[in-house]
Amino acid sequence: MDENTLKLLVKLTQEGQLSCLEKRITLGGSAAVQTISRKHFGRSGDTLLHYAARLGHLEVVEFLIKRVGVDVEVYNNDYKRPLHEAASMSHRACVSYLLREGAKVDSLKKADWTPLMMACTRRHLDVIQELLRHGADPALRNKDGWNSFHIACREGDPLVIQHLLLAAPDVWRTESKTRRTPLHTAAMHGCEEVVKLLLERCGYTPDSTDSCGVTPFMDAVRNGHIPVARLLLDKHQASPTAADILGAQPVHQVAVTGQEEALWFLVRDLKVDVNQKATDIELTALHYAAKEGHTSTIKTLLDLGADLHVRDKKGRTALHMACIGQHADAAGTLLQLGLKDSEDASGATARQLAKKPDVVRVFECGSPDAS
């Protein structure tokens, strides 16, 4: 077959035009059928069966398997089988047919993802149920240590979570390779109903930490998910002042991500000390916000009572940190608020730490926009 004919076959497959596809392949005789049964296309190495399964063209899938003889377990360059494609795109009819034809329910693609994991990236419970009925194992983990339950918790569908717990009651007892639990995942993504379900149905210990010392509460507040954070406080006795392995507390982490509503929540509602220092090098929330260049967050912290002149273990002010991060707007704001340049413990001034022209210009002209 020439290149143009092959491209046409791909197009007909993607469009689900079975009669035209069948006619084209049949015209080529047995040689054409044999070629198509083994042909991989493009950089991905997909076959026509991959295309058909991905797009949910069941009749084309049946034709390619029964009449053309494409192997139901054929894989592309990422080791994705047609079942991965159908499951990831929530095509239940194709999933059911491929399984009946002998597709392995727990086949692994690149990075050790199973079809069930792919299905859990969507919210189609019927596909997940079909895979589970055929023996899919929700406890299998991919190369990052995530199982299907982790993935479902990220997507946040309570019905999927409930069904996975019914199918495998201990599936929640899992950690990724960085020791993150499904509760971390749900909290990070703000999945309030799922977090509530996990706290009711699973036995997570309060303030469980990942390999960086991050708790689910930290994940919630630093991503601005205040209702989830409240839920963890009320139902799970989470600590608003727990520290990660660098000594950073939620107030510091929220300053890094610039979540100002979360700052008000921590300082005004929970009475967290806005000037609390992280234990590693005694950085405050103001230091972190300045280093990240969050000008609005700097102002919010000052409204909450942050000390403009506080220094870290190396004698650096927030102005030093803004210059280390090369943030002209933040440096200009701090100067306008009355913070003077000064030397740190090593004798370096903030101005000496400024490398980018617009940051240097702040000290020359007093404003990042000045000419």
Side-chain angles (χ1 to χ4, degrees):
M1 284 188 172
D2 59 38
E3 193 65 27
N4 288 333
T5 300
L6 291 172
K7 288 181 179 179
L8 177 60
L9 294 179
V10 170
K11 182 175 183 293
L12 294 173
T13 300
Q14 292 174 327
E15 294 176 353
Q17 297 190 39
L18 176 59
S19 59
C20 293
L21 178 67
E22 185 175 3
K23 181 178 179 181
R24 286 283 178 175
I25 293 177
T26 303
L27 285 174
S30 60
V33 171
Q34 190 174 21
T35 297
I36 291 301
S37 69
R38 300 193 305 266
K39 178 65 178 176
H40 294 259
F41 297 86
R43 295 176 63 181
S44 64
D46 286 333
T47 65
L48 293 185
L49 186 55
H50 284 89
Y51 294 128
R54 182 183 305 147
L55 294 164
H57 299 314
L58 178 59
E59 290 185 345
V60 177
V61 169
E62 293 175 344
F63 167 72
L64 291 171
I65 292 173
K66 292 295 189 183
R67 300 278 300 280
V68 178
V70 182
D71 184 358
V72 72
E73 279 292 287
V74 66
Y75 54 84
N76 67 10
N77 293 341
D78 286 332
Y79 297 99
K80 288 176 76 173
R81 274 71 169 177
L83 184 60
H84 285 100
E85 300 285 6
S88 69
M89 300 306 293
S90 304
H91 298 306
R92 181 187 176 183
C94 287
V95 167
S96 299
Y97 179 77
L98 290 166
L99 289 169
R100 289 198 303 272
E101 290 298 313
K104 296 178 181 177
V105 71
D106 283 330
S107 56
L108 302 179
K109 79 169 191 70
K110 190 175 182 180
D112 294 339
W113 279 64
T114 66
L116 181 60
M117 292 175 191
M118 304 291 286
C120 285
T121 64
R122 308 282 178 166
R123 292 185 171 212
H124 288 272
L125 181 59
D126 56 348
V127 174
I128 293 168
Q129 290 174 321
E130 184 71 7
L131 290 164
L132 290 170
R133 275 195 291 268
H134 282 79
D137 185 354
L140 291 177
R141 304 200 301 167
N142 64 21
K143 74 173 184 65
D144 295 316
W146 282 42
N147 66 13
S148 296
F149 194 70
H150 263 112
I151 296 163
C153 286
R154 181 188 66 190
E155 300 306 315
D157 188 335
L159 291 177
V160 172
I161 299 303
Q162 289 174 340
H163 195 83
L164 288 171
L165 286 172
L166 284 172
D170 289 332
V171 72
W172 63 271
R173 299 178 185 274
T174 184
E175 293 181 344
S176 71
K177 288 188 176 179
T178 55
R179 290 176 43 204
R180 292 182 62 77
T181 66
L183 183 59
H184 281 90
T185 301
M188 177 181 179
H189 291 275
C191 303
E192 185 178 357
E193 290 303 312
V194 169
V195 169
K196 186 181 299 183
L197 186 60
L198 295 179
L199 296 181
E200 291 172 352
R201 299 277 297 275
C202 308
Y204 294 110
T205 56
D207 292 325
S208 58
T209 59
D210 67 10
S211 59
C212 294
V214 173
T215 67
F217 179 84
M218 293 176 188
D219 270 329
V221 290
R222 70 183 182 180
N223 287 285
H225 303 307
I226 308 301
V228 172
R230 289 188 184 278
L231 190 59
L232 290 164
L233 287 170
D234 296 341
K235 303 295 184 182
H236 206 47
Q237 296 78 53
S239 170
T241 56
D244 65 16
I245 60 173
L246 297 177
Q249 296 182 13
V251 69
H252 305 119
Q253 297 167 345
V254 166
V256 170
T257 57
Q259 295 290 344
E260 293 171 41
E261 184 183 355
L263 278 173
W264 285 96
F265 169 64
L266 289 168
V267 178
R268 286 292 172 87
D269 294 1
L270 302 185
K271 311 303 180 186
V272 172
D273 182 4
V274 71
N275 291 307
Q276 176 66 42
K277 293 184 175 182
T279 56
D280 57 345
I281 50 176
E282 299 183 357
L283 295 174
T284 66
L286 187 61
H287 284 95
Y288 283 108
K291 186 176 181 182
E292 297 299 322
H294 296 318
T295 304
S296 178
T297 306
I298 290 171
K299 295 176 181 178
T300 296
L301 285 164
L302 292 177
D303 289 342
L304 287 168
D307 183 350
L308 186 63
H309 303 283
V310 70
R311 293 175 180 266
D312 69 3
K313 193 173 183 179
K314 296 183 179 181
R316 300 174 299 190
T317 65
L319 185 58
H320 287 90
M321 302 307 291
C323 291
I324 288 172
Q326 305 303 314
H327 298 297
D329 287 341
T333 296
L334 289 164
L335 288 170
Q336 290 166 8
L337 289 169
L339 185 57
K340 304 296 184 182
D341 193 8
S342 60
E343 294 183 349
D344 65 12
S346 70
T349 64
R351 180 170 183 165
Q352 290 171 335
L353 297 171
K355 305 299 180 184
K356 293 176 64 176
D358 60 337
V359 185
V360 173
R361 193 159 56 246
V362 168
F363 293 91
E364 295 173 348
C365 306
S367 168
D369 298 321
S371 57

